[in-house]
Amino acid sequence: MKVEIYKLANHLKGLMGMRFQNQAEGFLAPEAIEAADKLIAALSADCPRMIAEHLEKLAGLWKKMKEMPSSPERTDLSEQIFTLAHEIKDMGAMCGYTLIAYFAESLRDYIGRTDLNLKAQVVIIQAHVDAMQIVHRQGYKEEAGPEAEELKKMVKVAIDKYK
């Protein structure tokens, strides 16, 4: 029996900055870091527009879902809202919009783990959507401050009402 061993080049490692054999494990090439920083800066410059588009789509989905009775279509809309909230959270966090990321994460988590009645969903999801729209319209970025605390309190009241 004859066994042949082939050593294949892993080109993916090179793209990840791991092509430097003499470097310590976890080394990332400076040019890879620079390219990533440029990409993040470009995305950050476009963040307000992208967040606005996502919020508009979220509001449209919510408008359809709000009055709908329990059904597979409502569940599908809920999943789409979950995904949009997750994307808004990621964009907000990456671009320094921590307050909108906070509310988007809260909405995502609420949809992902809560199975409340329709009336509770209407109140709680609407509170999150309203808060995110206010944050975006007013240009609030930070998770701290009197405006942020007031909005957080508003959403908490909606959530606590149906615990």
Side-chain angles (χ1 to χ4, degrees), residues 20-83:
F20 301 99
Q21 297 298 324
N22 298 336
Q23 300 297 332
E25 188 174 320
F27 173 80
L28 292 174
E31 60 271 12
I33 294 171
E34 186 178 326
D37 286 343
K38 285 180 183 176
L39 179 63
I40 290 170
L43 287 172
S44 294
D46 207 24
C47 251
R49 182 192 61 76
M50 291 189 311
I51 288 174
E53 287 175 4
H54 277 63
L55 286 174
E56 189 176 321
K57 189 172 181 182
L58 179 84
L61 291 171
W62 174 234
K63 187 177 178 181
K64 280 196 259 183
M65 181 182 154
K66 187 193 298 191
E67 301 300 323
M68 194 177 282
S70 287
S71 66
E73 184 181 1
R74 189 176 209 285
T75 301
D76 181 57
L77 289 170
S78 176
E79 290 170 3
Q80 290 178 52
I81 289 174
F82 174 93
T83 301

Short mmCIF file of all heavy atoms in Angstrom, two decimals, residues 20-83:
data_model
loop_
_atom_site.label_atom_id
_atom_site.label_comp_id
_atom_site.label_asym_id
_atom_site.label_seq_id
_atom_site.Cartn_x
_atom_site.Cartn_y
_atom_site.Cartn_z
N PHE A 20 2.93 35.43 7.73
CA PHE A 20 4.25 35.70 8.26
C PHE A 20 4.62 34.60 9.25
O PHE A 20 4.20 34.62 10.40
CB PHE A 20 4.28 37.08 8.93
CG PHE A 20 3.91 38.19 7.98
CD1 PHE A 20 2.63 38.71 7.97
CD2 PHE A 20 4.83 38.69 7.09
CE1 PHE A 20 2.29 39.73 7.10
CE2 PHE A 20 4.50 39.71 6.21
CZ PHE A 20 3.22 40.23 6.21
N GLN A 21 5.39 33.65 8.80
CA GLN A 21 5.71 32.47 9.60
C GLN A 21 6.55 32.80 10.84
O GLN A 21 6.49 32.10 11.82
CB GLN A 21 6.45 31.43 8.74
CG GLN A 21 5.63 30.90 7.58
CD GLN A 21 4.40 30.16 8.04
OE1 GLN A 21 4.42 29.49 9.05
NE2 GLN A 21 3.31 30.32 7.30
N ASN A 22 7.35 33.85 10.77
CA ASN A 22 8.24 34.18 11.88
C ASN A 22 7.56 35.02 12.96
O ASN A 22 8.18 35.36 13.95
CB ASN A 22 9.46 34.95 11.36
CG ASN A 22 10.27 34.10 10.39
OD1 ASN A 22 10.22 32.88 10.44
ND2 ASN A 22 11.01 34.75 9.51
N GLN A 23 6.32 35.35 12.76
CA GLN A 23 5.62 36.20 13.72
C GLN A 23 4.90 35.35 14.76
O GLN A 23 4.61 34.18 14.55
CB GLN A 23 4.59 37.08 12.99
CG GLN A 23 5.19 37.98 11.94
CD GLN A 23 6.14 39.01 12.54
OE1 GLN A 23 6.01 39.40 13.68
NE2 GLN A 23 7.12 39.42 11.75
N ALA A 24 4.60 35.99 15.87
CA ALA A 24 3.89 35.30 16.94
C ALA A 24 2.47 34.97 16.49
O ALA A 24 1.91 35.62 15.62
CB ALA A 24 3.85 36.20 18.18
N GLU A 25 1.92 33.95 17.11
CA GLU A 25 0.55 33.55 16.79
C GLU A 25 -0.39 34.73 17.04
O GLU A 25 -0.27 35.43 18.04
CB GLU A 25 0.15 32.36 17.66
CG GLU A 25 -1.18 31.77 17.27
CD GLU A 25 -1.47 30.50 18.05
OE1 GLU A 25 -0.54 29.71 18.27
OE2 GLU A 25 -2.62 30.34 18.43
N GLY A 26 -1.31 34.94 16.14
CA GLY A 26 -2.26 36.03 16.27
C GLY A 26 -1.80 37.32 15.63
O GLY A 26 -2.49 38.32 15.66
N PHE A 27 -0.62 37.30 15.02
CA PHE A 27 -0.10 38.50 14.37
C PHE A 27 -0.98 38.88 13.19
O PHE A 27 -1.39 38.03 12.41
CB PHE A 27 1.33 38.25 13.86
CG PHE A 27 1.89 39.37 13.04
CD1 PHE A 27 2.39 40.49 13.64
CD2 PHE A 27 1.88 39.30 11.64
CE1 PHE A 27 2.90 41.53 12.88
CE2 PHE A 27 2.38 40.33 10.88
CZ PHE A 27 2.89 41.45 11.50
N LEU A 28 -1.29 40.15 13.09
CA LEU A 28 -2.01 40.67 11.94
C LEU A 28 -1.12 41.68 11.23
O LEU A 28 -0.54 42.55 11.87
CB LEU A 28 -3.33 41.34 12.35
CG LEU A 28 -4.39 40.41 12.91
CD1 LEU A 28 -5.58 41.20 13.41
CD2 LEU A 28 -4.83 39.42 11.85
N ALA A 29 -1.06 41.55 9.94
CA ALA A 29 -0.22 42.45 9.15
C ALA A 29 -0.72 43.88 9.30
O ALA A 29 -1.93 44.13 9.24
CB ALA A 29 -0.25 42.02 7.69
N PRO A 30 0.18 44.83 9.46
CA PRO A 30 -0.22 46.23 9.60
C PRO A 30 -1.06 46.73 8.42
O PRO A 30 -1.99 47.50 8.61
CB PRO A 30 1.11 46.99 9.68
CG PRO A 30 2.10 45.98 10.12
CD PRO A 30 1.62 44.66 9.59
N GLU A 31 -0.75 46.26 7.21
CA GLU A 31 -1.54 46.71 6.06
C GLU A 31 -2.97 46.17 6.12
O GLU A 31 -3.91 46.81 5.64
CB GLU A 31 -0.87 46.37 4.73
CG GLU A 31 -0.62 44.91 4.48
CD GLU A 31 0.71 44.39 4.98
OE1 GLU A 31 1.41 45.10 5.74
OE2 GLU A 31 1.05 43.26 4.62
N ALA A 32 -3.16 45.00 6.71
CA ALA A 32 -4.51 44.45 6.86
C ALA A 32 -5.31 45.28 7.88
O ALA A 32 -6.49 45.57 7.67
CB ALA A 32 -4.46 43.00 7.30
N ILE A 33 -4.65 45.69 8.94
CA ILE A 33 -5.29 46.54 9.94
C ILE A 33 -5.64 47.90 9.35
O ILE A 33 -6.74 48.43 9.55
CB ILE A 33 -4.41 46.69 11.20
CG1 ILE A 33 -4.27 45.33 11.89
CG2 ILE A 33 -4.96 47.74 12.15
CD1 ILE A 33 -3.26 45.29 13.01
N GLU A 34 -4.72 48.46 8.59
CA GLU A 34 -4.96 49.76 7.94
C GLU A 34 -6.13 49.67 6.96
O GLU A 34 -6.99 50.56 6.92
CB GLU A 34 -3.69 50.20 7.20
CG GLU A 34 -3.78 51.59 6.63
CD GLU A 34 -2.49 52.01 5.94
OE1 GLU A 34 -1.40 51.61 6.40
OE2 GLU A 34 -2.59 52.73 4.93
N ALA A 35 -6.19 48.60 6.19
CA ALA A 35 -7.29 48.43 5.24
C ALA A 35 -8.62 48.30 5.98
O ALA A 35 -9.64 48.87 5.56
CB ALA A 35 -7.06 47.20 4.36
N ALA A 36 -8.62 47.57 7.09
CA ALA A 36 -9.85 47.41 7.88
C ALA A 36 -10.28 48.75 8.48
O ALA A 36 -11.47 49.09 8.48
CB ALA A 36 -9.64 46.38 8.99
N ASP A 37 -9.32 49.52 8.97
CA ASP A 37 -9.63 50.84 9.53
C ASP A 37 -10.23 51.76 8.48
O ASP A 37 -11.17 52.51 8.76
CB ASP A 37 -8.38 51.49 10.14
CG ASP A 37 -7.97 50.86 11.46
OD1 ASP A 37 -8.81 50.17 12.08
OD2 ASP A 37 -6.81 51.06 11.87
N LYS A 38 -9.72 51.70 7.25
CA LYS A 38 -10.25 52.54 6.16
C LYS A 38 -11.68 52.11 5.83
O LYS A 38 -12.55 52.95 5.59
CB LYS A 38 -9.37 52.43 4.92
CG LYS A 38 -8.08 53.20 5.03
CD LYS A 38 -7.25 53.06 3.76
CE LYS A 38 -5.92 53.78 3.91
NZ LYS A 38 -5.06 53.60 2.75
N LEU A 39 -11.93 50.82 5.82
CA LEU A 39 -13.26 50.31 5.53
C LEU A 39 -14.25 50.75 6.61
O LEU A 39 -15.36 51.21 6.31
CB LEU A 39 -13.25 48.78 5.42
CG LEU A 39 -14.59 48.11 5.15
CD1 LEU A 39 -15.16 48.54 3.80
CD2 LEU A 39 -14.42 46.60 5.18
N ILE A 40 -13.84 50.65 7.86
CA ILE A 40 -14.71 51.07 8.97
C ILE A 40 -14.97 52.57 8.90
O ILE A 40 -16.10 53.02 9.11
CB ILE A 40 -14.10 50.67 10.33
CG1 ILE A 40 -14.16 49.14 10.49
CG2 ILE A 40 -14.82 51.35 11.49
CD1 ILE A 40 -13.38 48.60 11.67
N ALA A 41 -13.95 53.37 8.58
CA ALA A 41 -14.14 54.82 8.45
C ALA A 41 -15.13 55.15 7.34
O ALA A 41 -15.99 56.03 7.50
CB ALA A 41 -12.80 55.51 8.20
N ALA A 42 -15.02 54.44 6.22
CA ALA A 42 -15.95 54.68 5.10
C ALA A 42 -17.38 54.30 5.50
O ALA A 42 -18.33 55.03 5.20
CB ALA A 42 -15.51 53.89 3.87
N LEU A 43 -17.52 53.17 6.18
CA LEU A 43 -18.84 52.75 6.63
C LEU A 43 -19.40 53.72 7.68
O LEU A 43 -20.59 54.04 7.67
CB LEU A 43 -18.80 51.34 7.21
CG LEU A 43 -18.63 50.20 6.20
CD1 LEU A 43 -18.42 48.88 6.92
CD2 LEU A 43 -19.86 50.10 5.31
N SER A 44 -18.54 54.21 8.55
CA SER A 44 -18.98 55.13 9.60
C SER A 44 -19.48 56.44 9.02
O SER A 44 -20.44 57.02 9.53
CB SER A 44 -17.84 55.40 10.58
OG SER A 44 -17.51 54.22 11.28
N ALA A 45 -18.87 56.90 7.96
CA ALA A 45 -19.31 58.14 7.32
C ALA A 45 -20.71 57.99 6.74
O ALA A 45 -21.47 58.95 6.66
CB ALA A 45 -18.33 58.55 6.23
N ASP A 46 -21.06 56.78 6.36
CA ASP A 46 -22.35 56.51 5.74
C ASP A 46 -23.38 55.98 6.75
O ASP A 46 -24.51 55.69 6.39
CB ASP A 46 -22.13 55.49 4.61
CG ASP A 46 -23.17 55.61 3.52
OD1 ASP A 46 -23.77 56.69 3.37
OD2 ASP A 46 -23.39 54.60 2.83
N CYS A 47 -22.98 55.86 8.01
CA CYS A 47 -23.85 55.26 9.03
C CYS A 47 -25.19 55.97 9.20
O CYS A 47 -26.22 55.29 9.24
CB CYS A 47 -23.12 55.22 10.37
SG CYS A 47 -22.66 53.56 10.85
N PRO A 48 -25.23 57.29 9.33
CA PRO A 48 -26.54 57.92 9.53
C PRO A 48 -27.53 57.58 8.41
O PRO A 48 -28.71 57.31 8.69
CB PRO A 48 -26.23 59.42 9.56
CG PRO A 48 -24.81 59.49 10.01
CD PRO A 48 -24.15 58.27 9.42
N ARG A 49 -27.08 57.56 7.18
CA ARG A 49 -27.96 57.23 6.06
C ARG A 49 -28.40 55.77 6.13
O ARG A 49 -29.57 55.46 5.94
CB ARG A 49 -27.26 57.50 4.72
CG ARG A 49 -28.16 57.21 3.51
CD ARG A 49 -27.39 57.20 2.20
NE ARG A 49 -26.36 56.18 2.15
CZ ARG A 49 -26.59 54.87 1.95
NH1 ARG A 49 -27.80 54.42 1.80
NH2 ARG A 49 -25.60 54.01 1.91
N MET A 50 -27.46 54.87 6.41
CA MET A 50 -27.80 53.45 6.47
C MET A 50 -28.76 53.17 7.63
O MET A 50 -29.70 52.39 7.48
CB MET A 50 -26.53 52.60 6.60
CG MET A 50 -25.69 52.60 5.34
SD MET A 50 -24.31 51.41 5.33
CE MET A 50 -23.49 51.67 6.87
N ILE A 51 -28.53 53.81 8.77
CA ILE A 51 -29.42 53.62 9.91
C ILE A 51 -30.82 54.15 9.56
O ILE A 51 -31.82 53.50 9.87
CB ILE A 51 -28.85 54.28 11.18
CG1 ILE A 51 -27.65 53.47 11.69
CG2 ILE A 51 -29.92 54.39 12.27
CD1 ILE A 51 -26.91 54.10 12.85
N ALA A 52 -30.87 55.31 8.90
CA ALA A 52 -32.17 55.88 8.50
C ALA A 52 -32.92 54.91 7.58
O ALA A 52 -34.13 54.71 7.74
CB ALA A 52 -31.96 57.22 7.80
N GLU A 53 -32.21 54.32 6.63
CA GLU A 53 -32.85 53.35 5.72
C GLU A 53 -33.38 52.14 6.48
O GLU A 53 -34.49 51.66 6.23
CB GLU A 53 -31.87 52.90 4.64
CG GLU A 53 -31.58 53.95 3.59
CD GLU A 53 -30.52 53.52 2.59
OE1 GLU A 53 -30.05 52.36 2.66
OE2 GLU A 53 -30.16 54.36 1.74
N HIS A 54 -32.58 51.64 7.41
CA HIS A 54 -33.01 50.48 8.20
C HIS A 54 -34.22 50.84 9.08
O HIS A 54 -35.14 50.03 9.23
CB HIS A 54 -31.85 49.96 9.05
CG HIS A 54 -30.94 49.04 8.31
ND1 HIS A 54 -30.19 49.42 7.24
CD2 HIS A 54 -30.65 47.73 8.51
CE1 HIS A 54 -29.48 48.39 6.80
NE2 HIS A 54 -29.75 47.35 7.56
N LEU A 55 -34.20 52.03 9.67
CA LEU A 55 -35.32 52.45 10.50
C LEU A 55 -36.60 52.61 9.68
O LEU A 55 -37.69 52.25 10.14
CB LEU A 55 -35.00 53.76 11.23
CG LEU A 55 -34.03 53.66 12.39
CD1 LEU A 55 -33.69 55.05 12.92
CD2 LEU A 55 -34.58 52.78 13.50
N GLU A 56 -36.45 53.12 8.47
CA GLU A 56 -37.61 53.27 7.60
C GLU A 56 -38.20 51.90 7.25
O GLU A 56 -39.41 51.69 7.28
CB GLU A 56 -37.20 54.01 6.32
CG GLU A 56 -38.35 54.39 5.43
CD GLU A 56 -37.89 55.21 4.22
OE1 GLU A 56 -37.00 56.05 4.38
OE2 GLU A 56 -38.44 54.97 3.13
N LYS A 57 -37.32 50.96 6.94
CA LYS A 57 -37.78 49.61 6.62
C LYS A 57 -38.41 48.95 7.85
O LYS A 57 -39.45 48.30 7.75
CB LYS A 57 -36.60 48.78 6.11
CG LYS A 57 -36.98 47.44 5.56
CD LYS A 57 -35.80 46.75 4.91
CE LYS A 57 -36.20 45.41 4.33
NZ LYS A 57 -35.07 44.70 3.74
N LEU A 58 -37.80 49.15 9.01
CA LEU A 58 -38.32 48.62 10.26
C LEU A 58 -39.72 49.17 10.53
O LEU A 58 -40.64 48.41 10.87
CB LEU A 58 -37.38 48.97 11.42
CG LEU A 58 -37.80 48.50 12.80
CD1 LEU A 58 -37.38 47.07 13.01
CD2 LEU A 58 -37.18 49.37 13.86
N ALA A 59 -39.90 50.47 10.37
CA ALA A 59 -41.21 51.10 10.59
C ALA A 59 -42.25 50.54 9.62
O ALA A 59 -43.41 50.31 10.00
CB ALA A 59 -41.10 52.61 10.47
N GLY A 60 -41.86 50.31 8.38
CA GLY A 60 -42.78 49.74 7.40
C GLY A 60 -43.20 48.33 7.76
O GLY A 60 -44.40 47.99 7.66
N LEU A 61 -42.25 47.52 8.17
CA LEU A 61 -42.58 46.15 8.59
C LEU A 61 -43.48 46.16 9.83
O LEU A 61 -44.43 45.40 9.92
CB LEU A 61 -41.30 45.36 8.88
CG LEU A 61 -40.42 45.01 7.68
CD1 LEU A 61 -39.09 44.43 8.14
CD2 LEU A 61 -41.14 44.03 6.76
N TRP A 62 -43.15 47.05 10.76
CA TRP A 62 -43.92 47.14 11.99
C TRP A 62 -45.35 47.60 11.69
O TRP A 62 -46.30 47.11 12.28
CB TRP A 62 -43.24 48.06 12.99
CG TRP A 62 -44.06 48.30 14.21
CD1 TRP A 62 -44.43 49.51 14.73
CD2 TRP A 62 -44.63 47.32 15.09
NE1 TRP A 62 -45.20 49.34 15.84
CE2 TRP A 62 -45.34 47.99 16.09
CE3 TRP A 62 -44.63 45.93 15.10
CZ2 TRP A 62 -46.02 47.34 17.10
CZ3 TRP A 62 -45.31 45.27 16.11
CH2 TRP A 62 -45.99 45.98 17.10
N LYS A 63 -45.50 48.54 10.77
CA LYS A 63 -46.83 49.02 10.41
C LYS A 63 -47.70 47.87 9.89
O LYS A 63 -48.87 47.76 10.22
CB LYS A 63 -46.72 50.12 9.34
CG LYS A 63 -48.02 50.79 9.01
CD LYS A 63 -47.81 51.90 8.01
CE LYS A 63 -49.14 52.55 7.65
NZ LYS A 63 -48.98 53.61 6.67
N LYS A 64 -47.08 46.99 9.08
CA LYS A 64 -47.82 45.83 8.57
C LYS A 64 -48.13 44.83 9.68
O LYS A 64 -49.22 44.27 9.74
CB LYS A 64 -46.99 45.10 7.50
CG LYS A 64 -47.04 45.72 6.14
CD LYS A 64 -46.55 44.73 5.10
CE LYS A 64 -45.13 45.04 4.71
NZ LYS A 64 -44.60 44.17 3.66
N MET A 65 -47.17 44.62 10.57
CA MET A 65 -47.29 43.58 11.59
C MET A 65 -48.20 44.00 12.74
O MET A 65 -48.89 43.15 13.32
CB MET A 65 -45.90 43.25 12.13
CG MET A 65 -45.87 42.17 13.18
SD MET A 65 -44.18 41.94 13.75
CE MET A 65 -44.48 41.30 15.38
N LYS A 66 -48.24 45.27 13.06
CA LYS A 66 -48.90 45.77 14.27
C LYS A 66 -50.35 45.30 14.42
O LYS A 66 -50.74 44.81 15.48
CB LYS A 66 -48.85 47.29 14.29
CG LYS A 66 -49.37 47.88 15.58
CD LYS A 66 -49.62 49.37 15.53
CE LYS A 66 -48.43 50.21 15.25
NZ LYS A 66 -48.66 51.63 15.46
N GLU A 67 -51.14 45.43 13.40
CA GLU A 67 -52.56 45.11 13.49
C GLU A 67 -52.89 43.67 13.08
O GLU A 67 -54.05 43.27 13.10
CB GLU A 67 -53.37 46.07 12.62
CG GLU A 67 -53.20 47.53 13.00
CD GLU A 67 -53.63 47.86 14.42
OE1 GLU A 67 -54.63 47.26 14.89
OE2 GLU A 67 -52.96 48.67 15.07
N MET A 68 -51.87 42.91 12.73
CA MET A 68 -52.08 41.57 12.22
C MET A 68 -52.31 40.57 13.36
O MET A 68 -51.61 40.62 14.37
CB MET A 68 -50.81 41.19 11.43
CG MET A 68 -50.93 39.99 10.56
SD MET A 68 -49.38 39.73 9.66
CE MET A 68 -49.54 40.95 8.38
N PRO A 69 -53.25 39.67 13.20
CA PRO A 69 -53.43 38.63 14.23
C PRO A 69 -52.30 37.60 14.14
O PRO A 69 -51.52 37.60 13.18
CB PRO A 69 -54.78 37.99 13.83
CG PRO A 69 -54.91 38.24 12.37
CD PRO A 69 -54.21 39.55 12.11
N SER A 70 -52.21 36.75 15.13
CA SER A 70 -51.19 35.69 15.11
C SER A 70 -51.35 34.86 13.85
O SER A 70 -52.45 34.40 13.54
CB SER A 70 -51.33 34.78 16.33
OG SER A 70 -50.89 35.44 17.48
N SER A 71 -50.25 34.69 13.14
CA SER A 71 -50.26 33.94 11.90
C SER A 71 -48.82 33.69 11.47
O SER A 71 -47.89 34.32 11.98
CB SER A 71 -50.98 34.73 10.80
OG SER A 71 -50.25 35.90 10.48
N PRO A 72 -48.63 32.78 10.52
CA PRO A 72 -47.27 32.56 10.00
C PRO A 72 -46.69 33.84 9.37
O PRO A 72 -45.50 34.10 9.48
CB PRO A 72 -47.46 31.47 8.95
CG PRO A 72 -48.68 30.73 9.39
CD PRO A 72 -49.58 31.78 10.00
N GLU A 73 -47.54 34.65 8.73
CA GLU A 73 -47.06 35.90 8.12
C GLU A 73 -46.57 36.87 9.20
O GLU A 73 -45.56 37.53 9.04
CB GLU A 73 -48.18 36.55 7.30
CG GLU A 73 -47.71 37.79 6.56
CD GLU A 73 -48.81 38.46 5.75
OE1 GLU A 73 -49.96 37.99 5.77
OE2 GLU A 73 -48.50 39.49 5.12
N ARG A 74 -47.29 36.92 10.32
CA ARG A 74 -46.87 37.80 11.43
C ARG A 74 -45.54 37.31 11.99
O ARG A 74 -44.67 38.11 12.31
CB ARG A 74 -47.94 37.82 12.52
CG ARG A 74 -47.68 38.86 13.59
CD ARG A 74 -48.85 38.89 14.59
NE ARG A 74 -49.04 40.19 15.18
CZ ARG A 74 -48.28 40.71 16.12
NH1 ARG A 74 -47.24 40.03 16.57
NH2 ARG A 74 -48.54 41.90 16.62
N THR A 75 -45.40 36.01 12.11
CA THR A 75 -44.14 35.44 12.60
C THR A 75 -42.99 35.78 11.66
O THR A 75 -41.90 36.14 12.11
CB THR A 75 -44.28 33.91 12.75
OG1 THR A 75 -45.34 33.64 13.67
CG2 THR A 75 -42.99 33.28 13.26
N ASP A 76 -43.24 35.72 10.35
CA ASP A 76 -42.22 36.08 9.36
C ASP A 76 -41.83 37.55 9.49
O ASP A 76 -40.64 37.88 9.46
CB ASP A 76 -42.72 35.78 7.94
CG ASP A 76 -41.68 36.12 6.89
OD1 ASP A 76 -40.55 35.58 6.98
OD2 ASP A 76 -41.98 36.96 6.01
N LEU A 77 -42.80 38.42 9.66
CA LEU A 77 -42.51 39.85 9.84
C LEU A 77 -41.71 40.07 11.12
O LEU A 77 -40.78 40.89 11.15
CB LEU A 77 -43.80 40.66 9.86
CG LEU A 77 -44.53 40.78 8.53
CD1 LEU A 77 -45.90 41.41 8.73
CD2 LEU A 77 -43.71 41.59 7.53
N SER A 78 -42.06 39.34 12.17
CA SER A 78 -41.33 39.43 13.43
C SER A 78 -39.87 39.04 13.24
O SER A 78 -38.97 39.69 13.78
CB SER A 78 -41.99 38.54 14.47
OG SER A 78 -41.27 38.52 15.66
N GLU A 79 -39.62 38.00 12.47
CA GLU A 79 -38.24 37.57 12.20
C GLU A 79 -37.48 38.62 11.39
O GLU A 79 -36.29 38.86 11.61
CB GLU A 79 -38.25 36.23 11.48
CG GLU A 79 -38.69 35.08 12.38
CD GLU A 79 -38.95 33.78 11.63
OE1 GLU A 79 -38.73 33.72 10.40
OE2 GLU A 79 -39.39 32.82 12.28
N GLN A 80 -38.17 39.26 10.45
CA GLN A 80 -37.53 40.32 9.68
C GLN A 80 -37.19 41.53 10.57
O GLN A 80 -36.12 42.13 10.42
CB GLN A 80 -38.43 40.77 8.52
CG GLN A 80 -38.57 39.73 7.43
CD GLN A 80 -39.51 40.20 6.33
OE1 GLN A 80 -39.34 41.29 5.81
NE2 GLN A 80 -40.50 39.38 6.01
N ILE A 81 -38.08 41.86 11.48
CA ILE A 81 -37.82 42.95 12.43
C ILE A 81 -36.64 42.58 13.33
O ILE A 81 -35.79 43.41 13.62
CB ILE A 81 -39.09 43.30 13.23
CG1 ILE A 81 -40.10 43.98 12.31
CG2 ILE A 81 -38.76 44.18 14.43
CD1 ILE A 81 -41.45 44.25 12.95
N PHE A 82 -36.60 41.33 13.78
CA PHE A 82 -35.48 40.85 14.59
C PHE A 82 -34.15 41.08 13.86
O PHE A 82 -33.20 41.61 14.42
CB PHE A 82 -35.68 39.35 14.89
CG PHE A 82 -34.52 38.70 15.59
CD1 PHE A 82 -34.49 38.61 16.96
CD2 PHE A 82 -33.46 38.15 14.87
CE1 PHE A 82 -33.43 38.01 17.62
CE2 PHE A 82 -32.39 37.55 15.51
CZ PHE A 82 -32.38 37.48 16.90
N THR A 83 -34.11 40.69 12.58
CA THR A 83 -32.88 40.82 11.79
C THR A 83 -32.50 42.29 11.61
O THR A 83 -31.33 42.66 11.75
CB THR A 83 -33.04 40.13 10.42
OG1 THR A 83 -33.35 38.75 10.65
CG2 THR A 83 -31.79 40.24 9.59
#
